[in-house]
Amino acid sequence: MLIATAVLGTAWGAVDDLTSGAEYHVLRPAGPGGCTAVVRETSFLVIGNGEAYAVGRTGLALHESASWTVDDGYRPVDAGTYELNWGRGGGFLRISGTSGDPVVRGGSADIDCGW
């Protein structure tokens, strides 16, 4: 039963990525202790969505750090309209839209690397 659940969950995630046109971005530079910010952006009709994850040396993201929604399917990370700053305890990601494609929900994220 556990294996079947894992297979179905993986298949569901793959179908979701294919139908939403998901794009993944590894943001550079990496932060302290090898912490890396990874972003998943999708677009459906006139809405763009994004999620940020903190990924450690293992390559696993255990939880979503933040999410945002942008008008007109705009993908701010893909377009380069973001800023990532690292400090001692983690990072801060700020997402910017444009005047025609504003961020309508979210827009900033603490990249928490304290596992």
Side-chain angles (χ1 to χ4, degrees):
M1 184 65 134
L2 184 59
I3 292 172
T5 302
V7 169
L8 287 175
T10 301
W12 180 263
V15 168
D16 182 43
D17 277 358
L18 290 172
T19 59
S20 66
E23 293 180 1
Y24 290 85
H25 303 278
V26 177
L27 305 185
R28 297 287 182 220
C35 182
T36 303
V38 175
V39 169
R40 177 182 186 263
E41 289 186 304
T42 60
S43 177
F44 183 72
L45 296 178
V46 294
I47 297 294
N49 293 299
E51 298 99 28
Y53 299 88
V55 178
R57 289 186 193 124
T58 62
L60 297 175
L62 299 179
H63 59 86
E64 179 182 295
S65 294
S67 63
W68 57 88
T69 303
V70 184
D71 195 21
D72 290 337
Y74 183 68
R75 296 179 186 220
V77 173
D78 189 49
T81 56
Y82 70 93
E83 183 179 342
L84 176 63
N85 294 304
W86 291 103
R88 295 179 82 180
F92 184 74
L93 176 64
R94 189 177 74 208
I95 303 297
S96 303
T98 65
S99 60
D101 301 318
V103 176
V104 294
R105 184 186 60 80
S108 64
D110 286 321
I111 306 299
D112 181 14
C113 302
W115 293 283

